Amino acid sequence: MDLGYARVDLARQARQGVPEIVYGPGKKASEIAGIVRVLLDRNDGPVLVTRTGPGTAAGVLAHVSGGAYDLDARLIVWRPAAPLGHTVAVVTAGTADGPVAAEAAAVATALGLTVTLVRDVGVAGIHRVLAETETLRDADSVIVVAGMEGALASVVGGLVETPVIAVPTSTGYGAALEGVTALLAMLTSCAAGITVVNIDSGFGAALAAYRLTRRTR
């Protein structure tokens, strides 16, 4: 549907199982609201707006009622999905990785995944992640959120048999290069089969976990 400022993909849910998800930055609250109204009217699945600050979120919710805003995840959600029976563990290397993990957890929950958060288990204290081994193995998939040198993804990838989705974050000092070092480390991990998404993309990791449920369901 052509709204003039946006062409809304009304068939996304039929093709991929979830309606088009709206990227908030760069859009006016009124524009986001217009897109959301169409998605709510023409689909029956969850409707999400990502990366929205509190001011924009308040403006959108003033136009379109029934949504809920998660400040930590910067996410607005209407009509969250019922639980699908797929569990995902969202694991952070450090507290500074929390905002990216919050986005991953909130998006995954809105799409119907059941999330367990495992916080601050970076490899500088390897006993911390080893103590959570059974929790990680019990999950159907694991999202690992890590900055610095990104080593946590390799450690987790060596502990579990289930899919591991690695999210490099921009956390770190100089040579961390705003997440590039973690990204390259995760891409070259010796733990075979790890999926790697873009820097700071908790959203991308949640969608990857969601896609893993499609055929099994």
Side-chain angles (χ1 to χ4, degrees):
M1 179 178 287
D2 192 346
L3 301 180
Y5 55 85
R7 298 189 183 193
V8 186
D9 184 356
L10 300 179
R12 188 80 57 91
Q13 182 177 351
R15 296 196 313 272
Q16 298 183 357
V18 65
E20 181 178 3
I21 294 174
V22 184
Y23 178 70
K27 297 181 178 71
K28 300 175 184 177
S30 58
E31 292 172 336
I32 295 172
I35 297 168
V36 167
R37 286 194 197 98
V38 170
L39 292 171
L40 288 169
D41 184 56
R42 299 299 186 94
N43 297 274
D44 58 10
V47 174
L48 283 64
V49 181
T50 66
R51 301 292 173 97
T52 50
T56 300
V60 173
L61 291 171
H63 287 288
V64 187
S65 62
Y69 178 58
D70 185 323
L71 177 61
D72 292 335
R74 297 180 293 165
L75 182 73
I76 317 174
V77 180
W78 290 262
R79 233 168 30 202
L84 300 172
H86 183 99
T87 59
V88 56
V90 178
V91 187
T92 67
T95 304
D97 301 313
V100 178
E103 180 180 59
V107 171
T109 299
L111 297 180
L113 308 186
T114 300
V115 173
T116 299
L117 283 168
V118 180
R119 297 183 175 92
D120 194 23
V121 291
V123 299
I126 195 70
H127 58 285
R128 297 180 299 185
V129 67
L130 295 178
E132 299 289 348
T133 299
E134 292 307 314
T135 298
L136 302 181
R137 288 177 175 168
D138 285 343
D140 296 315
S141 58
V142 182
I143 295 172
V144 179
V145 184
M148 302 291 187
E149 83 293 1
L152 182 62
S154 292
V155 172
V156 173
L159 290 174
V160 304
E161 65 176 358
T162 49
V164 175
I165 303 157
V167 189
T169 73
S170 50
T171 300
Y173 301 104
L177 301 176
E178 299 294 321
V180 174
T181 297
L183 171 65
L184 296 177
M186 291 171 174
L187 287 171
T188 56
S189 172
C190 64
I194 291 176
T195 296
V196 185
V197 300
N198 208 346
I199 297 169
D200 290 338
S201 184
F203 163 78
L207 263 291
Y210 174 77
R211 282 175 176 265
L212 287 169
T213 73
R214 297 295 295 162
R215 287 295 182 185
T216 57
R217 287 189 288 118

